[in-house]
Amino acid sequence: MPSLSTRSVAEVAAARHSCRAFTDRPVEPALVRELLQTAQLAPSWCNVQPWQVHVTAGDQTDALRRFLAERIPEATASYDVTPPGPYTGVHAERRRQSGLALYDSVGIAREDKAARFAQAWRNFTFFDAPHVAVLSVDSDLGPYALVDAGVWLSHFLLAATDVGVATIAQAAIASYSPLVREFFDLPDERHVVCAVSFGYADEGDVVNDFRTTRADLADVVDARGFDSWE
């Protein structure tokens, strides 16, 4: 493994954020392999390790970018994995706040639909990242394979953050799962979960100053039987 930082897991988790502007500097292949080896340590149900990962660099990232740009306008959105239904209540509010904060960070007015579309489209150009990792699972393994894939994803994101590699997990790519499977020549039983664009952050782009917030523990944790909790 590369020389890891002396930061704690909590510090690395706090440092992680979704990068939405990358430089064209590629990540060294040896480092990409080491990040994947770290993610491969993720636990899974009965150690089945249901994930498959397709990683691109150089002309293959560019080819995927072009392929999606050419095919999406004439395609119908289609997920392999059922996406969330309409958000309501606190979940809708969290989503709204996150979206408004993103648009505010790049100076997009709420009523500017063209600019909002252009920002959303950047998901399909991978925010100019030099690398994309597409995560998929075997559909026959059921919902817990998706849980396992999420654990793999968290390992990869934190390992990358620890060594200064920026990332963004993108469910948007999964909204055109058949196209992704076509590009990578995946069988129908391989279900696309998400993609991760990664590389080095463009620190001069204001979009990378944007951060989301997190709910208080009291809002999400029911703690019982502890002598002291506050």
Side-chain angles (χ1 to χ4, degrees):
M1 279 298 299
S3 298
L4 299 179
S5 72
T6 58
R7 293 182 292 181
S8 68
V9 173
E11 290 171 325
V12 174
R16 190 213 62 79
H17 69 96
S18 294
C19 179
R20 289 178 171 83
F22 292 84
T23 71
D24 60 3
R25 173 190 170 193
V27 180
E28 287 295 321
L31 181 53
V32 175
R33 283 183 55 86
E34 289 168 341
L35 295 177
L36 293 169
Q37 286 172 342
T38 295
Q40 191 62 22
L41 298 174
S44 58
W45 188 304
C46 295
N47 197 36
V48 297
Q49 304 166 60
W51 48 79
Q52 288 282 312
V53 187
H54 291 74
V55 187
T56 68
D59 61 354
Q60 284 299 296
T61 304
D62 291 336
L64 179 56
R65 228 187 311 262
R66 289 194 302 270
F67 179 81
L68 294 178
E70 292 169 359
R71 297 291 298 278
I72 284 177
E74 62 187 30
T76 300
S78 177
Y79 289 85
D80 287 338
V81 179
T82 304
Y87 291 103
T88 60
V90 67
H91 305 109
E93 179 60 20
R94 290 171 185 163
R95 182 185 187 189
R96 187 187 72 84
Q97 290 178 353
S98 178
L100 290 176
L102 170 60
Y103 295 138
D104 285 347
S105 73
V106 292
I108 296 176
R110 185 175 183 178
E111 63 275 10
D112 191 343
K113 293 182 179 180
R116 291 174 67 177
F117 176 84
Q119 178 63 39
W121 178 256
R122 296 201 68 203
N123 277 282
F124 300 104
T125 63
F126 318 124
F127 302 99
D128 300 324
H131 305 286
V132 179
V134 172
L135 180 62
S136 67
V137 298
D138 190 325
S139 61
D140 290 341
L141 294 176
Y144 269 98
L146 300 174
V147 176
D148 294 338
V151 179
W152 181 96
L153 176 63
S154 183
H155 274 55
F156 183 84
L157 297 178
L158 293 180
T161 299
D162 193 45
V163 295
V165 173
T167 59
I168 181 169
Q170 297 174 257
I173 303 305
S175 65
Y176 291 94
S177 293
L179 294 182
V180 176
R181 283 190 279 108
E182 180 181 345
F183 181 86
F184 288 105
D185 195 23
L186 304 180
D188 288 345
E189 60 266 24
R190 296 302 308 175
H191 279 189
V192 176
V193 179
C194 69
V196 182
S197 295
F198 66 100
Y200 293 99
D202 181 352
E203 302 293 355
D205 195 310
V206 294
V207 74
N208 284 332
D209 295 332
F210 161 68
R211 296 291 185 274
T212 54
T213 60
R214 292 296 181 271
D216 293 334
L217 284 185
D219 295 328
V220 298
V221 176
D222 176 10
R224 305 185 183 192
F226 292 89
D227 293 334
S228 176
W229 184 249
E230 296 299 328

